[in-house]
Amino acid sequence: MKYAYYPGCSLECNAAAYDWSVRAVAEVFGLELPEIDDWNCCGATEYFSQDELTACAVIARNLALVDPQLDQVVAPCAACYLNLAKVDRLMAEDPKMGQKINEALSAGGLHYTPGRVRVRHFLELLHSDVGEERIRQKVVRPLTGLRVAPYYGCQWVRPFKEIDNPEYPMKLDELLSWVGAEVIDYPVKAHCCGGHMTQISEPQAFELIRRLLYSAEEYKADLIACMCPMCQLNLDAYQSRVNGYFNTNFKIPIVYFTQVVGLALGLDMHRLGFGKEIVAARPVLEAKLQAQAAAPQS
Amino acid sequence: MIAPGHTQRGAAFLHEVISQTPGGERLLHCLQCGSCGGSCPNGADMQYTPRTIFAMIQADQREAVLSSNTMWVCVSCYFCTTRCPQKVPITEIMYTLKRLAIRDGLARHTDAPALAKTFTDLLDRYGRSFELGLASRFYLFNKPWAMLKMGPLGLSMFTRGRMALTPTKIKRIDQLQAIIQKARELGGAK
Ligand code: SF4
Ligand code: SF4
Ligand code: SF4
Ligand code: SF4
C-alpha cells in the first residue's frame, strides 16, 4: 500500500519523534509513504482566523500536489488532517467556493478536483488498513502491564462523525490493546488540551492541561499516548509550568501512539524517537517492561 | 428558531455572519438551547457563551459581539459543533467572528491576532512556519518578557533537537505566493 505523506511543519522538528516512529512502523507493515513534493504548511488554525479563501487555497495546494498515481494522503498531525479533510469537503459541498479556490490555485498552475484524494490520519491506516490480525502477528514485545492512556484530542475525532465516535472514540484504544498494552478508560480522552492557548492565555491553557493530567494520574496511567504534535507539546513541554502554576506534581510521560506501537514491534527506542520527550519515558518503560528489555531483540 | 420575517427586518449583522460562513444559514435554526455553551471547555472564560453570542447576533449587536472575548477564547475543539441539535457550524462561526473583528479593528482582550499574523507571515514568506506551541518569534517580537519566562523550556527543547530558529523554505515559494496573492484578490469570499 502506498499513500502520499503530508508530515506538516511540526514533524520536521518539534515532533521528529512522531515522524520517525510513523516511518519506522509503516515500514514494518509495508506501507509506503512518499512525501508530497514541496508541500507547504497548512496554516493550522491561524489562517482561518484571518482570511478564509487564502486559508483554503494554501491547504488546497497540498492536495493538488499529491502524485496523480496516488489517491490517498496521510497526515499524522490532527490539525493538518482536519485542514486537508475540511477543504476537500468544502470544495465538494460548496462548488462556488471550490471554483474560487481553484481560481487561486490556477495562479500557480495547479488544480484540484474535490474527492480526488482521500484524506486519512495515520491511526486509520494502522487500525483499518493493516488491521488487528496483522498487527497482533508482528508484536514481539507485548506491552503487558504497561498502563497507557489513549489521548485523542479534538481535531481528528471532531467535527466529522463518521470515522469514530466524536465523544467517546475507540480506535486508538483498540490499537493499543492489540499490541498488549493495558488501556486506561478515563473520561477525558477526547477533551481539549487548549491548542495554541499556551501562547495567548496561560491560565486558560494550563487549566485544560491540568484536567487531562489529573485524570490520567487518577487512573494510574504510566504514560499518555497521543496523536497530535500540539497535544504532545502542550502536555509534555508545559507540564512543569503547569506544576508550578497549580502546585501539583505531575510526572507523566507523553509520547506518540506510534512510539508505543513501535516498541511492541521490537523497534529500537532511539529510532522511535524516545528521549526527545521532556518528561522522560524511559524509566517507566524500563520498570514495566523489564523482562522484555532483557530480551535480545531490544 | 428565528421567524423568517425577522431576517428581513434589519438583521444586517446576522446576514453578514451567514454570508461569511460555510453552512452559515443553519444559524437561522438556532433554538437557543444552550448545548453549545454547556459543551464548551472554555465557557467559563467567555464574556458571552456561544448561545448568547448567537442571540446578540440576531439582535444586531455587532460591535458588542466583535469586541467581546468569546471567539478568542475558542480553541476550535468542535465539541459544540458536534453536539448542536440544529447543526449550526458554531466553530466556523467563531472563525468568522475572528476575521470580522480583525478586519474592523475590534479585536480586544487578546494577543491571538498578533500570533496568527506572525505565524502566517512566515508561511507566506517561507511556505513553512514555526512551531505554533513554541512561538519563539512571536514572543521575541511581541512579548519579550514572556520569552524570558520560557527560557529553560526553550533550552530543553533546543537540546533535544525540538526547536529550530528559522523555518525551512519550500522550493516553489513563488508558486505559493502567486496562489496566496490571487486568493487575496478574490477575497471577500466566504
Ligand atoms: S497544523 Fe501544524 S504541523 Fe500541520 S502544517 Fe500546520 S502548522 Fe505545520
Ligand atoms: S487537543 Fe488541542 S492541540 Fe490537540 S487537537 Fe485539540 S485543540 Fe488541537
Ligand atoms: S447548540 Fe445549536 S441550537 Fe443550541 S444554542 Fe447552540 S447553536 Fe443554538
Ligand atoms: S469550538 Fe470553541 S466555542 Fe465550541 S466548544 Fe470548542 S472552544 Fe467552545
Side-chain angles (χ1 to χ4, degrees), chain A residues 37-38 47 167 199 232, chain B residues 83 124 133 162 171 184:
Chain A
D37 181 42
D38 208 37
Y47 238 128
E167 303 271 343
Q199 310 304 304
Q232 198 281 339
Chain B
R83 286 185 184 170
D124 293 355
R162 290 180 60 179
K171 289 179 286 182
R184 294 240 162 90

Side-chain angles (χ1 to χ4, degrees), chain B:
Chain B
M1 207 184 297
I2 310 162
H6 183 155
T7 64
Q8 262 100 61
R9 287 203 315 265
F13 186 38
L14 177 63
H15 288 285
E16 185 182 11
V17 172
I18 290 174
S19 74
Q20 307 276 318
T21 313
E25 317 73 51
R26 296 301 307 173
L27 189 50
L28 296 172
H29 302 273
C30 171
L31 298 165
Q32 289 289 305
C33 71
S35 301
C36 44
S39 311
C40 182
N42 301 303
D45 292 313
M46 289 176 171
Q47 267 172 320
Y48 311 108
T49 61
R51 181 196 65 75
T52 312
I53 283 282
F54 300 146
M56 291 166 76
I57 291 174
Q58 287 155 16
D60 217 24
Q61 296 180 36
R62 191 174 191 279
E63 191 160 335
V65 168
L66 293 184
S67 54
S68 78
N69 79 346
T70 298
M71 55 279 191
W72 301 113
V73 169
C74 168
V75 290
S76 314
C77 75
Y78 290 92
F79 257 120
C80 51
T81 302
T82 49
R83 286 185 184 170
C84 171
Q86 293 294 76
K87 300 196 167 63
V88 176
I90 302 165
T91 315
E92 301 305 326
I93 293 172
M94 292 296 162
Y95 277 126
T96 299
L97 298 178
K98 290 177 189 178
R99 291 194 290 270
L100 293 173
I102 291 177
R103 198 191 65 195
D104 294 1
L106 290 168
R108 305 266 188 280
H109 323 281
T110 182
D111 290 329
L115 175 70
K117 181 109 186 14
T118 315
F119 187 87
T120 57
D121 279 353
L122 284 174
L123 200 175
D124 293 355
R125 210 163 118 207
Y126 295 98
R128 302 270 164 91
S129 206
F130 59 68
E131 186 50 53
L132 191 52
L134 275 178
S136 40
R137 276 181 182 245
F138 164 68
Y139 277 143
L140 212 53
F141 296 122
N142 297 279
K143 278 175 148 182
W145 65 93
M147 180 93 183
L148 286 178
K149 258 199 312 186
M150 279 254 298
L153 172 58
L155 191 65
S156 47
M157 292 295 284
F158 200 75
T159 54
R160 282 169 177 77
R162 290 180 60 179
M163 205 158 122
L165 295 178
T166 48
T168 44
K169 194 175 198 157
I170 64 170
K171 289 179 286 182
R172 281 158 286 164
I173 185 69
D174 299 354
Q175 179 191 52
L176 177 67
Q177 287 169 346
I179 293 170
I180 290 173
Q181 198 185 335
K182 185 72 182 175
R184 294 240 162 90
E185 280 165 31
L186 294 167
K190 271 190 169 189

Side-chain angles (χ1 to χ4, degrees), chain A residues 45 78-79 151-156 158 190-196 212 228-232 234, chain B residues 75-77:
Chain A
T45 49
Y151 179 51
Y152 292 81
C154 312
Q155 304 211 331
W156 177 71
R158 292 179 297 273
H191 282 208
C192 184
C193 71
H196 70 183
L212 295 169
C228 165
M230 179 82 108
C231 301
Q232 198 281 339
N234 281 346
Chain B
V75 290
S76 314
C77 75

Side-chain angles (χ1 to χ4, degrees), chain A residues 6-11 39-44 77 79-80 83 229, chain B residues 119 129-130:
Chain A
Y6 181 80
C9 306
S10 301
L11 272 76
W39 58 270
N40 58 263
C41 170
C42 75
C77 165
C80 301
N83 274 349
Chain B
F119 187 87
S129 206
F130 59 68

